[in-house]
Amino acid sequence: MKSLYKFFSISLVSSLLLCACIQDEPLNMEADILEVNVPDLPENIRFGTERIKPDKGTNQIEILIKANGKVGELSPEFILTEGATISPASGTTLDFSGFNGQKYTVTSENRKWTKEYTVRVVPPYIMTADNGGNGKTKSFGFNHYQKFDGDYNFHEFYEEAASGRKDFIWGSGNLGFALTNKNTQAENYPTFAIAEGKSGSAACLVTRSTGLFGAMVGMPIATGNLFLGSFDVSQAIKTPLLATQFGVPYMMNEPVEVQFLYKFQGGTFKDKNGVEQQDYPSIYAVLFEPEVTGDGEIILLNGENVRTASNIISIAELDTAQIIRSKDIATAEFTQCSIQFVLRKAFDAQKLANGNYYITIVFASSCRGEYFEGFVGNTLIVDEVILITK
């Protein structure tokens, strides 16, 4: 009888402890959209992959369609963080014909946090000439930027279309840096806007320390970078070279040159072998034909292959011998520079017409930043970028 009593006593205590553990487990505080799928989006106008995984932290989600595509009512489906709910509900049919899209509110499992999202169905940004189909140049002045539309303070650069649409075609690694220093101000991120451009604002890129956390994961620095493309923060820790997704659709003539203004101030660093190296910026542009998977997903270039991939058509790279260093970047004048494209494959006018070509232009404050080597404080300021074609 004592044994039986003891058994029931232990069972009761165990049950109470288990219940206490279950009751004490906190409910999820996250209110994020993890994935979007639009099953009723017509295949003949769909652009890219069927499932969209937005960067964590962003409040703007764009579902891309082909340039001549038109949509009406659609029924997007959402995968959310655990326990979260969304309003309007996943699968609700709404009108997406307007540029403003539709608003959604995600509420966390513990009901204490909400996040507002805007979901739009739009054609992709396609690089065309400044003055129409027969133009031969495209200019970027970095006068358009805003605070990141999410949980962090950093700047995002965008191009403004005649319609007023903001095209966020310039990516940076700021979202990765935010993992180590979430609450810092915009000017303390690796990439930010400054007012002191040639005419208006300019892009300032600075190699930063990532602190104790960065050192622990073998990523002691973050290079200031700005490139045509996007940054996949989900890859930032595990496979950082895959996080940079280079390229935007290109519909101009064959590119021959990139001109730009810059200021640069830098120092030396010790590489992983302990050898002291002079740090300098990395500047290049790449025209390529991306691979396309069976389900229509476009495979962009990344940090592993952006200068070596077999599908590169032409590439322009800055010779480091050209770099002019400033002793005091705050008082230095801008230097005019240019890089010329060199063909690796024949340029195909028909592939251009079919929309098969993509392009990226890349600026980085440290030449080996993708390998987390560089001088903390290396600074590159860039303004008035012009792409010139035949």
Side-chain angles (χ1 to χ4, degrees), residues 190-212:
T191 301
F192 57 100
I194 59 171
E196 301 79 21
K198 183 67 175 179
S199 56
S201 59
C204 186
L205 318 177
V206 181
T207 301
R208 304 286 194 192
S209 168
T210 54
L212 181 60

PDB file of all heavy atoms in Angstrom, residues 190-212:
ATOM      1  N   PRO A 190      27.073  50.570 -41.556  1.00  0.00           N
ATOM      2  CA  PRO A 190      28.114  50.601 -42.590  1.00  0.00           C
ATOM      3  C   PRO A 190      27.742  51.433 -43.825  1.00  0.00           C
ATOM      4  O   PRO A 190      28.621  51.991 -44.476  1.00  0.00           O
ATOM      5  CB  PRO A 190      28.291  49.115 -42.962  1.00  0.00           C
ATOM      6  CG  PRO A 190      27.811  48.368 -41.764  1.00  0.00           C
ATOM      7  CD  PRO A 190      26.681  49.187 -41.214  1.00  0.00           C
ATOM      8  N   THR A 191      26.452  51.528 -44.151  1.00  0.00           N
ATOM      9  CA  THR A 191      26.016  52.245 -45.354  1.00  0.00           C
ATOM     10  C   THR A 191      24.936  53.249 -44.967  1.00  0.00           C
ATOM     11  O   THR A 191      23.925  52.872 -44.364  1.00  0.00           O
ATOM     12  CB  THR A 191      25.473  51.257 -46.400  1.00  0.00           C
ATOM     13  OG1 THR A 191      26.490  50.308 -46.734  1.00  0.00           O
ATOM     14  CG2 THR A 191      25.028  51.987 -47.660  1.00  0.00           C
ATOM     15  N   PHE A 192      25.140  54.527 -45.331  1.00  0.00           N
ATOM     16  CA  PHE A 192      24.169  55.552 -44.954  1.00  0.00           C
ATOM     17  C   PHE A 192      24.303  56.749 -45.890  1.00  0.00           C
ATOM     18  O   PHE A 192      25.261  56.863 -46.669  1.00  0.00           O
ATOM     19  CB  PHE A 192      24.356  55.980 -43.494  1.00  0.00           C
ATOM     20  CG  PHE A 192      25.732  56.503 -43.157  1.00  0.00           C
ATOM     21  CD1 PHE A 192      25.980  57.862 -43.075  1.00  0.00           C
ATOM     22  CD2 PHE A 192      26.788  55.626 -42.922  1.00  0.00           C
ATOM     23  CE1 PHE A 192      27.243  58.353 -42.765  1.00  0.00           C
ATOM     24  CE2 PHE A 192      28.049  56.096 -42.601  1.00  0.00           C
ATOM     25  CZ  PHE A 192      28.286  57.462 -42.522  1.00  0.00           C
ATOM     26  N   ALA A 193      23.335  57.633 -45.836  1.00  0.00           N
ATOM     27  CA  ALA A 193      23.337  58.840 -46.658  1.00  0.00           C
ATOM     28  C   ALA A 193      23.961  59.998 -45.904  1.00  0.00           C
ATOM     29  O   ALA A 193      23.792  60.135 -44.695  1.00  0.00           O
ATOM     30  CB  ALA A 193      21.908  59.202 -47.059  1.00  0.00           C
ATOM     31  N   ILE A 194      24.703  60.835 -46.632  1.00  0.00           N
ATOM     32  CA  ILE A 194      25.224  62.082 -46.063  1.00  0.00           C
ATOM     33  C   ILE A 194      24.756  63.235 -46.934  1.00  0.00           C
ATOM     34  O   ILE A 194      24.510  63.065 -48.133  1.00  0.00           O
ATOM     35  CB  ILE A 194      26.767  62.072 -45.964  1.00  0.00           C
ATOM     36  CG1 ILE A 194      27.399  61.879 -47.347  1.00  0.00           C
ATOM     37  CG2 ILE A 194      27.237  60.999 -44.998  1.00  0.00           C
ATOM     38  CD1 ILE A 194      28.910  62.067 -47.350  1.00  0.00           C
ATOM     39  N   ALA A 195      24.642  64.400 -46.337  1.00  0.00           N
ATOM     40  CA  ALA A 195      24.145  65.569 -47.065  1.00  0.00           C
ATOM     41  C   ALA A 195      25.190  66.166 -47.991  1.00  0.00           C
ATOM     42  O   ALA A 195      24.851  66.877 -48.937  1.00  0.00           O
ATOM     43  CB  ALA A 195      23.655  66.626 -46.073  1.00  0.00           C
ATOM     44  N   GLU A 196      26.482  65.879 -47.733  1.00  0.00           N
ATOM     45  CA  GLU A 196      27.569  66.554 -48.439  1.00  0.00           C
ATOM     46  C   GLU A 196      27.947  65.840 -49.727  1.00  0.00           C
ATOM     47  O   GLU A 196      29.087  65.411 -49.917  1.00  0.00           O
ATOM     48  CB  GLU A 196      28.796  66.673 -47.526  1.00  0.00           C
ATOM     49  CG  GLU A 196      28.547  67.435 -46.233  1.00  0.00           C
ATOM     50  CD  GLU A 196      27.850  66.593 -45.178  1.00  0.00           C
ATOM     51  OE1 GLU A 196      27.910  65.358 -45.289  1.00  0.00           O
ATOM     52  OE2 GLU A 196      27.232  67.185 -44.268  1.00  0.00           O
ATOM     53  N   GLY A 197      26.987  65.691 -50.638  1.00  0.00           N
ATOM     54  CA  GLY A 197      27.289  65.137 -51.950  1.00  0.00           C
ATOM     55  C   GLY A 197      27.744  66.227 -52.903  1.00  0.00           C
ATOM     56  O   GLY A 197      27.869  67.398 -52.529  1.00  0.00           O
ATOM     57  N   LYS A 198      27.988  65.850 -54.151  1.00  0.00           N
ATOM     58  CA  LYS A 198      28.374  66.845 -55.151  1.00  0.00           C
ATOM     59  C   LYS A 198      27.237  67.829 -55.380  1.00  0.00           C
ATOM     60  O   LYS A 198      27.437  69.031 -55.487  1.00  0.00           O
ATOM     61  CB  LYS A 198      28.761  66.152 -56.456  1.00  0.00           C
ATOM     62  CG  LYS A 198      29.251  67.084 -57.541  1.00  0.00           C
ATOM     63  CD  LYS A 198      30.582  67.714 -57.178  1.00  0.00           C
ATOM     64  CE  LYS A 198      31.132  68.545 -58.332  1.00  0.00           C
ATOM     65  NZ  LYS A 198      32.423  69.180 -57.973  1.00  0.00           N
ATOM     66  N   SER A 199      26.044  67.282 -55.479  1.00  0.00           N
ATOM     67  CA  SER A 199      24.837  68.111 -55.567  1.00  0.00           C
ATOM     68  C   SER A 199      23.714  67.326 -54.903  1.00  0.00           C
ATOM     69  O   SER A 199      23.160  66.409 -55.490  1.00  0.00           O
ATOM     70  CB  SER A 199      24.481  68.429 -57.022  1.00  0.00           C
ATOM     71  OG  SER A 199      24.335  67.252 -57.776  1.00  0.00           O
ATOM     72  N   GLY A 200      23.436  67.651 -53.676  1.00  0.00           N
ATOM     73  CA  GLY A 200      22.486  66.869 -52.895  1.00  0.00           C
ATOM     74  C   GLY A 200      23.228  65.864 -52.030  1.00  0.00           C
ATOM     75  O   GLY A 200      24.371  66.081 -51.631  1.00  0.00           O
ATOM     76  N   SER A 201      22.582  64.751 -51.737  1.00  0.00           N
ATOM     77  CA  SER A 201      23.178  63.753 -50.848  1.00  0.00           C
ATOM     78  C   SER A 201      24.061  62.782 -51.624  1.00  0.00           C
ATOM     79  O   SER A 201      24.060  62.746 -52.848  1.00  0.00           O
ATOM     80  CB  SER A 201      22.077  62.988 -50.101  1.00  0.00           C
ATOM     81  OG  SER A 201      21.213  62.345 -51.023  1.00  0.00           O
ATOM     82  N   ALA A 202      24.823  61.995 -50.873  1.00  0.00           N
ATOM     83  CA  ALA A 202      25.707  60.986 -51.438  1.00  0.00           C
ATOM     84  C   ALA A 202      25.637  59.747 -50.558  1.00  0.00           C
ATOM     85  O   ALA A 202      25.106  59.774 -49.441  1.00  0.00           O
ATOM     86  CB  ALA A 202      27.148  61.502 -51.521  1.00  0.00           C
ATOM     87  N   ALA A 203      26.176  58.643 -51.050  1.00  0.00           N
ATOM     88  CA  ALA A 203      26.231  57.396 -50.287  1.00  0.00           C
ATOM     89  C   ALA A 203      27.581  57.299 -49.592  1.00  0.00           C
ATOM     90  O   ALA A 203      28.627  57.450 -50.233  1.00  0.00           O
ATOM     91  CB  ALA A 203      26.014  56.199 -51.197  1.00  0.00           C
ATOM     92  N   CYS A 204      27.563  57.047 -48.299  1.00  0.00           N
ATOM     93  CA  CYS A 204      28.792  56.902 -47.518  1.00  0.00           C
ATOM     94  C   CYS A 204      28.895  55.465 -47.026  1.00  0.00           C
ATOM     95  O   CYS A 204      27.964  54.944 -46.392  1.00  0.00           O
ATOM     96  CB  CYS A 204      28.789  57.868 -46.337  1.00  0.00           C
ATOM     97  SG  CYS A 204      30.350  57.877 -45.401  1.00  0.00           S
ATOM     98  N   LEU A 205      30.024  54.816 -47.312  1.00  0.00           N
ATOM     99  CA  LEU A 205      30.244  53.418 -46.963  1.00  0.00           C
ATOM    100  C   LEU A 205      31.447  53.329 -46.037  1.00  0.00           C
ATOM    101  O   LEU A 205      32.536  53.786 -46.386  1.00  0.00           O
ATOM    102  CB  LEU A 205      30.490  52.576 -48.219  1.00  0.00           C
ATOM    103  CG  LEU A 205      29.602  52.868 -49.443  1.00  0.00           C
ATOM    104  CD1 LEU A 205      30.005  52.000 -50.619  1.00  0.00           C
ATOM    105  CD2 LEU A 205      28.133  52.667 -49.101  1.00  0.00           C
ATOM    106  N   VAL A 206      31.264  52.743 -44.866  1.00  0.00           N
ATOM    107  CA  VAL A 206      32.317  52.684 -43.846  1.00  0.00           C
ATOM    108  C   VAL A 206      32.451  51.252 -43.344  1.00  0.00           C
ATOM    109  O   VAL A 206      31.444  50.596 -43.033  1.00  0.00           O
ATOM    110  CB  VAL A 206      32.005  53.618 -42.663  1.00  0.00           C
ATOM    111  CG1 VAL A 206      33.124  53.566 -41.635  1.00  0.00           C
ATOM    112  CG2 VAL A 206      31.781  55.044 -43.135  1.00  0.00           C
ATOM    113  N   THR A 207      33.670  50.759 -43.248  1.00  0.00           N
ATOM    114  CA  THR A 207      33.919  49.447 -42.663  1.00  0.00           C
ATOM    115  C   THR A 207      33.822  49.558 -41.147  1.00  0.00           C
ATOM    116  O   THR A 207      34.527  50.345 -40.523  1.00  0.00           O
ATOM    117  CB  THR A 207      35.298  48.919 -43.071  1.00  0.00           C
ATOM    118  OG1 THR A 207      35.346  48.832 -44.504  1.00  0.00           O
ATOM    119  CG2 THR A 207      35.558  47.541 -42.486  1.00  0.00           C
ATOM    120  N   ARG A 208      32.918  48.769 -40.540  1.00  0.00           N
ATOM    121  CA  ARG A 208      32.625  48.861 -39.112  1.00  0.00           C
ATOM    122  C   ARG A 208      33.048  47.579 -38.385  1.00  0.00           C
ATOM    123  O   ARG A 208      33.060  46.486 -38.963  1.00  0.00           O
ATOM    124  CB  ARG A 208      31.116  49.032 -38.880  1.00  0.00           C
ATOM    125  CG  ARG A 208      30.482  50.209 -39.586  1.00  0.00           C
ATOM    126  CD  ARG A 208      30.829  51.509 -38.941  1.00  0.00           C
ATOM    127  NE  ARG A 208      29.953  52.590 -39.411  1.00  0.00           N
ATOM    128  CZ  ARG A 208      30.167  53.865 -39.180  1.00  0.00           C
ATOM    129  NH1 ARG A 208      31.220  54.257 -38.463  1.00  0.00           N
ATOM    130  NH2 ARG A 208      29.339  54.792 -39.645  1.00  0.00           N
ATOM    131  N   SER A 209      33.323  47.727 -37.095  1.00  0.00           N
ATOM    132  CA  SER A 209      33.491  46.571 -36.225  1.00  0.00           C
ATOM    133  C   SER A 209      32.112  46.024 -35.878  1.00  0.00           C
ATOM    134  O   SER A 209      31.158  46.783 -35.679  1.00  0.00           O
ATOM    135  CB  SER A 209      34.219  46.965 -34.943  1.00  0.00           C
ATOM    136  OG  SER A 209      34.142  45.932 -33.978  1.00  0.00           O
ATOM    137  N   THR A 210      31.999  44.702 -35.805  1.00  0.00           N
ATOM    138  CA  THR A 210      30.724  44.084 -35.429  1.00  0.00           C
ATOM    139  C   THR A 210      30.706  43.689 -33.957  1.00  0.00           C
ATOM    140  O   THR A 210      29.783  43.013 -33.503  1.00  0.00           O
ATOM    141  CB  THR A 210      30.448  42.841 -36.292  1.00  0.00           C
ATOM    142  OG1 THR A 210      31.564  41.956 -36.204  1.00  0.00           O
ATOM    143  CG2 THR A 210      30.208  43.226 -37.737  1.00  0.00           C
ATOM    144  N   GLY A 211      31.737  44.092 -33.199  1.00  0.00           N
ATOM    145  CA  GLY A 211      31.740  43.889 -31.761  1.00  0.00           C
ATOM    146  C   GLY A 211      31.961  42.452 -31.340  1.00  0.00           C
ATOM    147  O   GLY A 211      32.419  41.605 -32.115  1.00  0.00           O
ATOM    148  N   LEU A 212      31.595  42.173 -30.118  1.00  0.00           N
ATOM    149  CA  LEU A 212      31.850  40.867 -29.521  1.00  0.00           C
ATOM    150  C   LEU A 212      31.101  39.756 -30.249  1.00  0.00           C
ATOM    151  O   LEU A 212      31.664  38.691 -30.525  1.00  0.00           O
ATOM    152  CB  LEU A 212      31.446  40.889 -28.039  1.00  0.00           C
ATOM    153  CG  LEU A 212      31.675  39.589 -27.244  1.00  0.00           C
ATOM    154  CD1 LEU A 212      33.149  39.221 -27.251  1.00  0.00           C
ATOM    155  CD2 LEU A 212      31.166  39.746 -25.821  1.00  0.00           C
TER     156      LEU A 212
END
